[in-house]
């Protein structure tokens, strides 16, 4: 039996000082009926908590840690850069290098602006789209999450779904009035809306593989329809690749599905575990960003040298030949093993996977959109989460988040995870 004394003590102190004791809501673990672990350190695929318990980690800091934790090349790059100073509020060579790497990796991105988070990237991309088109309305999709900017808090995934709330007080109705949320993967419904109102739509923003309602891949034709109709009506298509960028392929989901959006948002991997976001796209649009153009956006710590160094080191590692093949192989092993474990125990679940992103839904119906995801048995998921944790497997504490496999996961990690899942499924089906 693991003990969590130090984590519990830290959480008690945190709750007095920080709302809910955490700096981002999902990690409070409320929806799975437990309290957060405080992490002492992490290396490779293993997290160690404040009480010295070890876990195989499938959260990966919610996506950035594609190389696993404390990768030597990333740590070295951070240490070397640290010696030059920590922040100058002035350009550094590393910003140019990372921008070159992004532009090279993603052909639809000709120019890119660094920011500090995925939220900032998405809200800046939407501002740009509104500025460029002179229109106000945006379309998003139910269960997709693009950060916590006002515009996006309609039928949102991630923490909003986990807390089961409609949106947030503090968001003016006037702002929400300009956001239209449609069912994910429903190309026909989207096409009908565009045919009626396309000329008023500034932007269509989508997670090309949705990772904030669990993991939901696009059905064939969905992204194609988004591209076709946005071109037809002069709306900008924004791919939120904060999770999928450099994850499902080096060039992101747009490489995988061969669709070039007008603007793309990045975060997570591009910062190698440090706070970085980025948005970019065709020169014609990006040239409208200040000071080149009139659409304003700025940031004191944007392009921070240490964050840039971590991003460069990470992209340098993952673009090496064979990297994504090995990640695919180990991720497939996990998905197939979980399916087998479920079959062996008569457990009904739906597994979605795109490369090293996965969603394990405790439902017996295929999950193609947010309504499907919400058919999951959340009570059972909470029990599954707690029992996996007790067996040393660290999963995202919400049915509406993705599972991330990293290059640091070994075959042994995967087989231990499958064995743990099978024993949990067996216990759950006996209850
Ligand atoms: N909302 C992010 C995941 N989709 C981050 C959650 C967290 O850091 O707690």
């Amino acid at each position: 039996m693991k003990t969590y004394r130090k984590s519990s003590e830290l959480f008690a102190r945190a709750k007095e000082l920080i709302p809910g004791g955490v700096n981002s809501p999902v990690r409070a673990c409320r929806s799975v009926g437990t309290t957060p672990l405080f992490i002492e350190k992490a290396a490779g695929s293993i997290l160690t908590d404040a009480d010295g318990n070890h876990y195989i980690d499938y959260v990966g800091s919610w996506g950035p840690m594609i190389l696993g934790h404390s990768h030597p090349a990333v740590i070295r790059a951070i240490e070397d850069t640290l010696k030059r100073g920590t922040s100058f509020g002035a350009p550094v060579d590393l910003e140019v290098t990372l921008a070159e790497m992004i532009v090279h990796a993603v052909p639809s991105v000709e120019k890119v602006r660094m920011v500090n988070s995925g939220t900032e990237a998405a809200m800046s991309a939407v501002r740009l789209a509104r500025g460029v088109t002179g229109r106000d309305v945006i379309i998003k999709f139910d269960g997709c999450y693009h950060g916590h900017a006002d515009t996006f808090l309609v039928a949102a995934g991630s923490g909003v779904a986990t807390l089961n709330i409609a949106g947030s007080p503090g968001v003016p109705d006037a702002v929400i009035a300009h956001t239209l949320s449609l069912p994910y993967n429903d190309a026909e419904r989207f096409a009908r809306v565009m045919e009626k109102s396309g000329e008023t739509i500034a932007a269509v923003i989508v997670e090309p593989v949705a990772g904030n309602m669990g993991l939901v891949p696009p059905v064939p034709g969905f992204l194609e329809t988004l591209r076709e109709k946005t071109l037809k009506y002069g709306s900008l298509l924004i791919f939120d690749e904060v999770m999928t960028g450099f994850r499902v392929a080096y060039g992101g989901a747009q490489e995988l599905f061969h669709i070039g959006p007008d603007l793309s948002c990045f975060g997570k991997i591009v910062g190698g575990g440090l706070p970085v976001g980025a948005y970019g796209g065709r020169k014609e649009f990006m040239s409208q960003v200040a000071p080149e153009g009139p659409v304003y956006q700025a940031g004191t710590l944007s392009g921070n040298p240490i964050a840039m160094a971590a991003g460069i080191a990470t992209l340098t590692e993952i673009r090496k030949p064979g990297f994504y093949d090995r990640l695919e192989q180990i991720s497939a092993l996990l998905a197939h093993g979980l399916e087998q474990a479920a079959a062996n125990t008569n457990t009904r679940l739906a597994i979605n996977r795109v490369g090293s992103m996965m969603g394990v839904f405790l439902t017996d119906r295929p999950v193609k959109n947010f309504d499907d995801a919400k058919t999951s048995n959340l009570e059972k998921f909470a029990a599954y989460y707690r029992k996996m944790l007790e067996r040393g497997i660290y999963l995202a504490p919400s049915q509406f988040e993705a599972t991330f496999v990293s290059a640091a996961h070994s075959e042994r990690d995967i087989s231990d995870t499958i064995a743990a899942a099978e024993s949990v499924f067996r216990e759950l089906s006996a209850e």
Side-chain angles (χ1 to χ4, degrees):
M1 213 39 188
K2 292 184 166 48
T3 56
Y4 304 107
R5 189 179 55 82
K6 284 192 184 158
S7 278
S8 302
E9 283 170 8
L10 283 163
F11 190 49
R13 279 170 58 203
K15 278 193 294 187
E16 295 300 316
L17 304 162
I18 304 170
V22 288
N23 284 311
S24 194
V26 183
R27 61 182 82 161
C29 298
R30 285 191 183 184
S31 74
V32 288
T34 176
T35 54
L37 299 179
F38 280 68
I39 304 304
E40 179 67 25
K41 60 183 180 183
S45 61
I46 305 297
L47 285 182
T48 305
D49 72 12
D51 292 280
N53 302 308
H54 303 297
Y55 306 88
I56 303 173
D57 177 28
Y58 291 99
V59 178
S61 191
W62 306 91
M65 312 316 296
I66 192 167
L67 291 170
H69 295 277
S70 309
H71 188 281
V74 180
I75 299 295
R76 204 176 318 116
I78 292 171
E79 282 172 353
D80 289 350
T81 310
L82 208 49
K83 292 176 193 143
R84 294 168 57 181
T86 55
S87 178
F88 315 118
V92 291
D93 54 346
L94 299 166
E95 291 167 87
V96 189
T97 304
L98 188 56
E100 278 167 353
M101 292 177 94
I102 295 172
V103 166
H104 194 250
V106 188
S108 74
V109 175
E110 295 172 336
K111 274 194 173 182
V112 61
R113 171 58 68 79
M114 303 297 173
V115 292
N116 300 288
S117 67
T119 291
E120 254 189 89
M123 73 179 209
S124 306
V126 163
R127 180 179 302 149
L128 177 57
R130 286 174 165 154
V132 164
T133 58
R135 305 170 183 176
D136 290 336
V137 181
I138 64 156
I139 293 178
K140 68 173 285 293
F141 295 92
D142 302 345
C144 285
Y145 180 77
H146 306 288
H148 63 87
D150 288 357
T151 320
F152 302 123
L153 293 182
V154 183
S158 189
V160 180
T162 305
L163 298 176
N164 194 21
I165 52 178
S168 171
V171 176
D173 289 344
V175 173
I176 291 304
H178 291 121
T179 302
L180 196 54
S181 193
L182 299 176
Y184 192 77
N185 272 335
D186 190 340
E188 279 172 28
R189 172 92 176 267
F190 170 76
R192 281 201 303 278
V193 170
M194 287 301 279
E195 271 142 34
K196 192 161 168 247
S197 325
E199 274 150 21
T200 66
I201 306 298
V204 175
I205 184 165
V206 68
E207 289 181 82
V209 174
N212 283 289
M213 49 174 140
L215 193 279
V216 182
V219 296
F222 178 59
L223 298 176
E224 290 79 355
T225 306
L226 303 193
R227 181 64 287 185
E228 184 198 320
K229 297 296 176 195
T230 44
L231 280 173
K232 181 168 175 190
Y233 292 102
S235 317
L236 266 56
L237 179 61
I238 306 174
F239 273 11
D240 179 342
E241 297 235 39
V242 169
M243 276 187 182
T244 53
F246 301 93
R247 164 67 66 178
V248 296
Y250 189 65
Q254 49 196 281
E255 176 185 315
L256 209 58
F257 298 106
H258 309 289
I259 294 175
D262 298 304
L263 297 175
S264 300
C265 307
F266 302 98
K268 302 195 189 271
I269 290 173
V270 89
L274 274 80
V276 177
Y279 68 103
R282 304 214 323 256
K283 273 187 188 152
E284 143 193 24
F285 302 128
M286 291 306 290
S287 64
Q288 297 300 307
V289 177
E292 213 170 314
V295 179
Y296 196 73
Q297 178 271 310
T300 297
L301 289 167
S302 297
N304 174 269
I306 299 163
M308 296 296 102
I312 293 166
T314 299
L315 299 198
T316 303
E317 290 301 310
I318 65 178
R319 70 180 177 184
K320 289 181 178 165
F323 178 84
Y324 288 92
D325 295 339
R326 151 88 170 89
L327 201 54
E328 167 62 26
Q329 179 241 321
I330 205 91
S331 306
L333 206 61
L334 178 61
H336 295 150
L338 292 175
E339 267 157 5
Q340 192 56 56
N344 294 347
T345 55
N346 289 323
T347 301
R348 290 187 297 193
L349 49 78
I351 297 186
N352 287 339
R353 182 177 73 86
V354 179
S356 56
M357 292 174 74
M358 210 179 295
V360 179
F361 299 93
L362 294 179
T363 178
D364 53 4
R365 93 186 211 192
V367 177
K368 294 188 176 163
N369 59 35
F370 197 25
D371 282 343
D372 295 335
K374 286 193 284 191
T375 65
S376 297
N377 183 333
L378 299 183
E379 221 171 285
K380 202 166 173 187
F381 178 84
Y384 168 66
Y385 171 86
R386 292 192 301 266
K387 287 173 186 286
M388 289 295 273
L389 191 70
E390 189 53 43
R391 287 162 174 80
I393 313 295
Y394 189 79
L395 302 171
S398 165
Q399 177 70 92
F400 304 110
E401 299 285 355
T403 298
F404 293 101
V405 180
S406 81
H409 284 97
S410 64
E411 290 191 11
R412 175 73 193 273
D413 289 334
I414 301 295
S415 60
D416 286 354
T417 306
I418 294 164
E422 181 154 344
S423 91
V424 170
F425 294 154
R426 212 172 287 287
E427 268 187 34
L428 288 174
S429 55
E431 278 171 9

